[in-house]
Amino acid sequence: MAIAVASCWINAFASAGASRSSLSSQRLFSSPPISATRLVIPKATSKRQNPKRNQKESARKSSPEKEANMQKLSRRSRDEKYSNADDYSDTNSAEQQPQSTAFKSFGTQRKNAKGFMGNLKDQQGETTKIQDASFLNAVVKVYCTHTAPDYSLPWQKQRQYTSTGSAFMIGDGKLLTNAHCVEHNTQVKVKRRGDDTKYVAKVLAKGMECDIALLSVENEKFWKGAEPLQFGHLPRLQDPVTVVGYPLGGDTISVTKGVVSRIEVTSYAHGSAELLGIQIDAAINPGNSGGPAFNDQGECIGVAFQVYRSDDTENIGYVIPTTVVSHFLDDYERNGKYTGFPSLGILLQKLENPALRACLKVPSNEGVLVRRVEPTSGASNVLKEGDVIVSFDGVEVGSEGTVPFRSTERIAFRYLISQKFTGDIAELGIIRSGAFMKVHTAVNPRVHLVPYHIEGGQPSYLIVAGLVFTPLSEPLIDEECEDSIGLKLLTKARYSMARFKGEQIVILSQVLANEVNIGYEDMSNEQVLKFNGTRIKNIHHLAHLVDSCTDKYLVFEFEDNYLAVLDREASSAASPCILKDYGIPSERSSDLLEPYVDPVGENQVIEHHDLGDSPVTNSDFGFDGLQWA
């Protein structure tokens, strides 16, 4: 099984984006390993490959942790398929949607040859109609040059690679595409259909969670005679859908047709969120990413972005619906930048068992149990473990963690939260110790202890006498390979929550061998916990402690009471030589040159957990009765 971002046609077959996006979704699931289970992003063959990633590709594929993380996704898919099988037939009969062209053609062939020829003429007429449709001219090809950071050597970049994808015009001199199509971009160009000129585009905003990017083109020639696309409403099951883009297999525009198969909250492979998604059976291939999906009226109903692949399934593609796109655009208009989709920051459990509801004094078949509240969440001062949420902004929450959706459907409770904007206030109806009450809380994006993407693109680093420190991140785990990171550090990365905003897991990435650090050369990927007895909050805090140290020795404390001690004066004298010998321009990243600001406050005490700050168990990330909101 695999969920693949229907990625831009990347000319680096084993490029950086492939594994990072896959890891984003893997982190959500954990269970025993199964065969033929991977989370990948398909890339096309390239002129320039990344040898560093190629060397580690086989290690990533064989990682037991990664294989284990995927079975939950496989189980989730099978469960959804079975549970929605009846919904398909009920909805189809109730809505009486028109049949797709394929079904019409099949029925006609069974009658007679004359009917078949008539149907063939209809199809030819329909093809001509599509080719002549003006909305196709709003779809453009994207050419991007990427230069990703080198997370293992954070002071430099990796070798650049190129990719192609799709985008479309939305008016006001702007284009929409997928965020993964322009990630780590150094140059973006776009070309219109039927034109041989490429125009430089600027990336205005990127939403990693929702995998959407907003582009602009300043050259007026590009917009001459252009007609932007019109957004349509959320489609219904079996509605016809047409996907347009520039996928692998040719240079001209491509059109594929299908129907809407399912609409539900979906895991977005490139980001760390679960948002509304449209499942379709139209072909989505590498290069289709960022291209629009149309309804029969020529209205854009979403953006193609990923596919689901398995030995047991076929023709499962996903489209970002216009509700998510509109949220992204409204967020940008409100704040001048993308701020993210909010979350309550709580771990929930379904209340399907009658005895469990009775024990919690819940009178009816409703509500979800609050199992844990993240310390960084706005709800941490409002909700308590053991509370039962029975309503959100007046909408009743069912015992399965679902809420009413449209007329006859239900959808995951998280959908209501995702409709909010950062800083909005939500009204929650809760049952606490048998008593009903209403509380209010602000909703904000989740704070990840180990980030999925690095803000600003370049990771932070600090070099002290050849000891290279950097924050732990998902891209670094992917680049280093999980085997070299170590099980204990991986456990923290997967199942720990941040105690405060700005907290980081700081690791000793490697040691640049020198006479001053003899005996420590073999240390790598070890978490540093304390410096001279002070617990480290983040890498900026570590840099501040080192800079302000006046002691004779620099004492770094790692896991299992392992110590690395350096002479302070000898370290200061050796640092310039080490940097010169290894060709490193600076002993620290530019962000660490700024004055340090304590994210917590000097007088505030932070409770410490040995496993890394509020650990979360494997089952907490599953879907068998548990879910984040």
Side-chain angles (χ1 to χ4, degrees):
M1 171 200 65
I3 286 187
V5 171
S7 72
C8 11
W9 178 359
I10 299 232
N11 292 339
F13 180 72
S15 65
S19 302
R20 278 199 300 280
S21 294
S22 92
L23 199 51
S24 303
S25 286
Q26 287 177 15
R27 181 174 169 185
L28 298 178
F29 315 107
S30 179
S31 51
I34 61 174
S35 60
T37 299
R38 292 187 295 128
L39 189 64
V40 299
I41 298 179
K43 307 295 182 186
T45 308
S46 81
K47 299 177 181 178
R48 295 184 178 178
Q49 297 188 357
N50 189 323
K52 186 171 186 178
R53 291 189 178 275
N54 290 341
Q55 292 170 2
K56 299 177 179 178
E57 183 67 22
S58 59
R60 285 199 299 272
K61 290 182 180 178
S62 62
S63 169
E65 172 74 9
K66 187 169 293 187
E67 294 293 326
N69 286 343
M70 289 306 93
Q71 186 180 10
K72 184 65 70 175
L73 182 58
S74 176
R75 184 191 312 160
R76 178 190 180 206
S77 176
R78 289 195 294 271
D79 291 345
E80 288 172 347
K81 178 172 64 177
Y82 297 145
S83 64
N84 283 279
D86 293 336
D87 294 345
Y88 287 162
S89 58
D90 292 342
T91 307
N92 295 348
S93 59
E95 296 178 359
Q96 294 182 349
Q97 295 295 335
Q99 292 180 313
S100 67
T101 303
F103 287 125
K104 289 179 181 178
S105 175
F106 178 75
T108 307
Q109 290 179 45
R110 294 179 58 184
K111 292 182 180 180
N112 50 51
K114 182 178 179 180
F116 170 74
M117 293 303 295
N119 182 262
L120 183 60
K121 291 180 180 179
D122 292 341
Q123 291 183 9
Q124 291 174 344
E126 184 177 351
T127 302
T128 302
K129 180 180 179 181
I130 292 176
Q131 293 228 352
D132 294 339
S134 60
F135 61 75
L136 293 184
N137 296 326
V139 184
V140 304
K141 190 170 185 177
V142 178
Y143 300 82
C144 185
T145 301
H146 312 257
T147 307
D150 191 325
Y151 296 93
S152 299
L153 305 173
W155 51 85
Q156 66 185 31
K157 298 275 191 178
Q158 296 181 23
R159 189 173 185 177
Q160 74 177 25
Y161 62 96
T162 60
S163 71
T164 61
S166 306
F168 58 95
M169 304 174 183
I170 61 171
D172 196 26
K174 296 182 177 63
L175 302 162
L176 273 186
T177 187
N178 283 145
H180 72 260
C181 286
V182 293
E183 187 177 21
H184 304 308
N185 71 87
T186 52
Q187 185 184 68
V188 181
K189 294 179 290 186
V190 293
K191 186 175 72 171
R192 290 183 59 176
R193 180 191 180 199
D195 195 355
D196 61 352
T197 303
K198 297 176 183 177
Y199 298 87
V200 175
K202 178 182 178 182
V203 179
L204 299 178
K206 284 186 292 187
M208 293 301 184
E209 292 171 307
C210 58
D211 201 2
I212 302 175
L214 185 65
L215 312 179
S216 68
V217 178
E218 296 180 356
N219 196 316
E220 295 182 358
K221 294 181 179 179
F222 175 81
W223 300 101
K224 186 176 181 180
E227 295 184 14
L229 297 183
Q230 300 297 318
F231 288 117
H233 297 293
L234 192 68
R236 294 190 176 273
L237 298 185
Q238 274 203 331
D239 277 1
V241 60
T242 302
V243 176
V244 181
Y246 292 86
L248 179 69
D251 294 327
T252 58
I253 200 166
S254 170
V255 177
T256 57
K257 299 199 69 176
V259 297
V260 174
S261 306
R262 179 184 290 152
I263 299 177
E264 65 178 359
V265 174
T266 303
S267 177
Y268 280 44
H270 183 67
S272 56
E274 293 198 336
L275 304 169
L276 192 65
I278 302 174
Q279 178 184 319
I280 63 174
D281 67 354
I284 296 179
N285 297 301
N288 269 125
S289 283
F294 297 99
N295 58 20
D296 272 356
Q297 288 73 46
E299 298 171 328
C300 177
I301 61 166
V303 186
F305 77 116
Q306 69 184 26
V307 295
Y308 179 91
R309 288 177 182 164
S310 165
D311 294 338
D312 302 325
T313 61
E314 59 183 19
N315 296 337
I316 297 181
Y318 290 94
V319 171
I320 303 171
T322 53
T323 51
V324 176
V325 174
S326 297
H327 188 287
F328 169 82
L329 294 175
D330 290 345
D331 186 12
Y332 176 77
E333 290 297 328
R334 287 185 179 196
N335 304 291
K337 61 179 182 178
Y338 170 75
T339 62
F341 283 77
S343 166
L344 278 178
I346 57 178
L347 183 66
L348 303 175
Q349 179 179 344
K350 299 175 183 179
L351 295 182
E352 298 176 283
N353 187 279
L356 177 58
R357 293 196 300 269
C359 178
L360 296 170
K361 300 179 182 179
V362 179
S364 58
N365 186 18
E366 63 178 349
V368 286
L369 174 65
V370 177
R371 292 191 63 245
R372 182 164 299 168
V373 183
E374 290 184 323
T376 56
S377 166
S380 60
N381 297 323
V382 177
L383 296 177
K384 299 179 180 180
E385 294 180 5
D387 288 347
V388 176
I389 299 176
V390 295
S391 68
F392 183 91
D393 282 346
V395 180
E396 295 183 357
V397 179
S399 61
E400 289 187 330
T402 59
V403 294
F405 180 64
R406 298 198 285 200
S407 58
T408 59
E409 303 170 76
R410 296 189 70 84
I411 200 167
F413 167 48
R414 298 185 297 276
Y415 169 72
L416 293 181
I417 305 171
S418 69
Q419 299 303 293
K420 294 280 189 178
F421 290 90
T422 299
D424 284 356
I425 303 298
E427 180 187 80
L428 302 176
I430 66 171
I431 295 178
R432 178 178 296 169
S433 302
F436 175 80
M437 63 182 69
K438 290 185 177 181
V439 297
H440 296 82
T441 181
V443 291
N444 292 287
R446 283 190 65 190
V447 176
H448 296 280
L449 180 62
V450 178
Y452 289 88
H453 300 274
I454 303 297
E455 293 186 8
Q458 198 69 17
S460 303
Y461 73 91
L462 173 69
I463 302 177
V464 181
L467 277 63
V468 181
F469 298 97
T470 189
L472 185 65
S473 64
E474 289 292 354
L476 176 60
I477 293 174
D478 175 58
E479 191 170 287
E480 283 290 302
C481 296
E482 294 184 353
D483 293 340
S484 67
I485 291 292
L487 182 59
K488 192 166 186 178
L489 202 55
L490 275 177
T491 301
K492 290 185 178 183
R494 297 291 186 265
Y495 309 124
S496 297
M497 293 187 295
R499 298 167 298 171
F500 54 88
K501 188 174 182 179
E503 183 180 18
Q504 295 174 328
I505 294 179
V506 181
I507 66 170
L508 173 62
S509 175
Q510 61 179 308
V511 177
L512 307 175
N514 184 270
E515 184 177 347
V516 74
N517 55 46
I518 287 178
Y520 308 134
E521 304 94 335
D522 295 331
M523 293 183 66
S524 66
N525 297 327
E526 298 284 346
Q527 182 183 5
V528 55
L529 301 176
K530 296 180 180 180
F531 174 78
N532 283 8
T534 302
R535 180 161 291 277
I536 297 169
K537 300 174 183 177
N538 52 44
I539 193 168
H540 207 158
H541 183 218
L542 175 60
H544 170 71
L545 293 175
V546 171
D547 292 342
S548 58
C549 178
T550 57
D551 297 343
K552 179 177 177 58
Y553 296 107
L554 307 178
V555 182
F556 299 92
E557 297 182 44
F558 299 88
E559 289 280 1
D560 302 321
N561 298 320
Y562 193 92
L563 297 179
V565 181
L566 300 170
D567 183 277
R568 181 172 61 86
E569 293 184 357
S571 298
S572 299
S575 289
C577 297
I578 295 174
L579 297 179
K580 182 179 179 181
D581 290 344
Y582 288 88
I584 301 174
S586 175
E587 67 176 4
R588 65 186 65 190
S589 54
S590 59
D591 59 310
L592 300 187
L593 298 174
E594 300 293 330
Y596 171 69
V597 178
D598 195 328
V600 179
E602 296 181 0
N603 299 324
Q604 186 171 347
V605 178
I606 298 297
E607 182 181 357
H608 171 64
H609 297 269
D610 290 336
L611 185 56
D613 323 323
S614 304
V616 180
T617 63
N618 289 11
S619 61
D620 291 348
F621 284 89
F623 287 84
D624 296 332
L626 298 162
Q627 57 184 352
W628 281 103

